[in-house]
Amino acid sequence: GYVGMLAPWKGVHQLISFASLYEEELRAIGVCEIRIYGGQIYETTGNHHSYDNELCLLKEKMSASLISFCGLDSPANIFSEIDLLLHTSIDEEPFGRVLIEAMSADVTVLSTGLGGALELIGSCEERGLKLLSYDYAGWFKQVEKALLSNDDIQRMKDEAYQFSLLMDERIEKQVQNLLNS
C-alpha cells in the first residue's frame, strides 16, 4: 500500500502506472490489491490542486484494477491492512515519518530513498528495499523479493523495527530536553 498526502511529488501516479503495467505478474505472486491511503490534506492552487482527481482518471484510463483508494485512516488500521509500504516519492523529502510508522508496525518498506528516506531505509538496504523512480521492472523485482524472500526480508524487518524503537527513544529524549529547558 501507499500512505501519504496525494501530491505529484509523492509519485502516486507512478504507482498506478506500475500496477497497471505489471498487473498479471503482481497477481501471480499473490498481490490482490494495492491500497492508496491519504488525501489532499489542505487546499491549494499549487501543482497538486486536484491531483486526487487526476489519479482517479489515470486509474480508470489505465484500467489499474489492483488500485483501491482508501482515503484517510489511522496508522494502526492502515498498517494492519497492508503487507508492504510503497514509498514512491519522486522528490527529496526531509524525513519520511510514514517509513518509521511502517517499520514499527513490522511492515516491509520499499522506498525511492530520496532525501531523508535513504537514511531511514539505509544505503545498503538494511531496513528497507530501494526503488528507482519509474523503473517498473525494478519495482516488480523488489516487490517479488519482499514477498518471497522470507529469511532476508525478516532480518531486514527486524533491523527496521529495532531502528524505529531507537528513533522513538531519541525523539522522546529530544522532546524532554526541550520541555526541561
Side-chain angles (χ1 to χ4, degrees):
Y2 166 87
V3 181
M5 185 173 136
L6 299 182
W9 65 87
K10 295 289 194 171
V12 183
H13 56 280
Q14 61 179 340
L15 180 54
I16 293 170
S17 296
F18 167 67
S20 175
L21 295 169
Y22 280 83
E23 180 175 350
E24 186 176 317
E25 294 89 341
L26 289 164
R27 287 189 188 282
I29 61 170
V31 175
C32 57
E33 182 179 30
I34 299 174
R35 295 177 176 208
I36 296 176
Y37 289 93
Q40 289 189 214
I41 59 174
Y42 54 87
E43 289 297 320
T44 183
T45 58
N47 68 346
H48 71 277
H49 178 71
S50 77
Y51 182 62
D52 54 348
N53 293 331
E54 292 173 31
L55 294 174
C56 290
L57 291 172
L58 181 62
K59 175 191 184 251
E60 191 176 305
K61 179 180 177 183
M62 296 196 78
S63 300
S65 64
L66 288 173
I67 297 291
S68 296
F69 291 101
C70 301
L72 301 173
D73 206 342
S74 71
N77 288 340
I78 292 169
F79 293 118
S80 70
E81 295 291 325
I82 64 174
D83 299 310
L84 307 173
L85 173 71
L86 297 161
H87 184 256
T88 58
S89 293
I90 58 176
D91 284 340
E92 292 184 1
E93 294 194 39
F95 183 67
R97 182 184 76 215
V98 71
L99 301 176
I100 295 295
E101 291 171 342
M103 290 173 182
S104 55
D106 203 31
V107 170
T108 304
V109 172
L110 292 85
S111 174
T112 52
L114 299 174
L118 185 60
E119 293 178 42
L120 299 176
I121 65 169
S123 59
C124 295
E125 297 186 329
E126 298 93 342
R127 296 173 293 277
L129 298 175
K130 183 116 181 336
L131 305 173
L132 297 176
S133 292
Y134 302 102
D135 175 13
Y136 303 139
W139 284 28
F140 177 75
K141 288 178 185 173
Q142 293 293 61
V143 168
E144 184 177 44
K145 179 179 179 180
L147 293 175
L148 303 178
S149 301
N150 294 339
D151 291 341
D152 291 339
I153 296 304
Q154 190 56 54
R155 275 192 293 278
M156 184 186 67
K157 285 171 58 175
D158 291 345
E159 174 71 24
Y161 180 75
Q162 292 304 314
F163 180 77
S164 73
L165 294 177
L166 178 63
M167 292 297 291
D168 286 345
E169 185 179 301
R170 286 180 181 171
I171 291 168
E172 181 63 31
K173 283 182 183 177
Q174 288 177 353
V175 168
Q176 286 305 316
N177 286 342
L178 288 171
L179 292 174
N180 294 331
S181 47

